[in-house]
Amino acid sequence: MNDISEAAKAVVRRNTEEVQGGGNFALFEELFSDDFVDHTPQPGGTPDKAGARALYHRLREAFPDFRPEIHWQATDGNLVTTYKVYHGTHRGEFLGVPATGKEIHFETVDAMRVVDGKITEHWGVANLYSLMEQLGARPQAGGR
């Protein structure tokens, strides 16, 4: 693997572990490019750095013990794909669901492009259906 791929993996790992997992928002400001673009923003979010920051804050407020577990990372040049499972305790409102106190976990696969040590782009898929099911907010069959 080349140096660019290794450096990009390290940036994404720091974001996952120290920002998402540790709440280090000073590091968020360092790691994310000012012209960051999220190609898959969450509902109600914006596809920019402010939107990513707001999502991370919402996750940490809803799940104060939010912690990621990286299972694997793969690279294609400066594009890093990560499969991880998030864990936490639901202590605040999330996606319209008030705090339940339930322990949750959900899987995510995301790809982040890293240029000059900064995250410039993101694409991701999170298993929010599983999360909502764990929170007791799963839609009933037949739309009821």
Side-chain angles (χ1 to χ4, degrees):
M1 187 171 309
N2 66 33
D3 291 344
I4 290 172
S5 294
E6 283 301 315
K9 273 175 63 175
V11 167
V12 172
R13 181 172 290 275
R14 286 191 76 197
N15 176 60
T16 302
E17 294 174 347
E18 298 177 44
V19 179
Q20 294 179 340
N24 183 345
F25 285 96
L27 182 59
F28 173 91
E29 297 303 327
E30 290 176 34
L31 295 182
F32 278 75
S33 171
D34 288 338
D35 61 358
F36 168 80
V37 175
D38 189 346
H39 298 279
T40 52
Q42 293 300 314
T46 57
D48 55 10
K49 184 175 180 176
R53 184 188 310 108
L55 173 63
Y56 286 9
H57 276 290
R58 281 197 311 273
L59 284 166
R60 293 209 50 84
E61 288 162 7
F63 309 99
D65 58 347
F66 193 72
R67 62 197 183 282
E69 178 185 2
I70 295 175
H71 288 273
W72 56 261
Q73 290 182 295
T75 57
D76 181 3
N78 66 358
L79 186 64
V80 181
T81 301
T82 306
Y83 171 72
K84 56 198 164 196
V85 177
Y86 291 122
H87 302 267
T89 308
H90 187 216
R91 302 266 183 229
E93 182 272 331
F94 190 69
L95 296 177
V97 180
T100 62
K102 293 180 178 179
E103 295 284 328
I104 59 89
H105 66 278
F106 63 99
E107 305 84 4
T108 300
V109 176
D110 61 25
M112 290 183 152
R113 185 174 313 283
V114 178
V115 177
D116 296 328
K118 295 196 179 276
I119 298 167
T120 60
E121 294 181 272
H122 170 263
W123 298 261
V125 180
N127 190 348
L128 295 180
Y129 186 85
S130 170
L131 172 60
M132 297 307 276
E133 191 170 45
Q134 291 171 64
L135 297 178
R138 185 174 65 91
Q140 297 299 310
R144 289 186 214 121

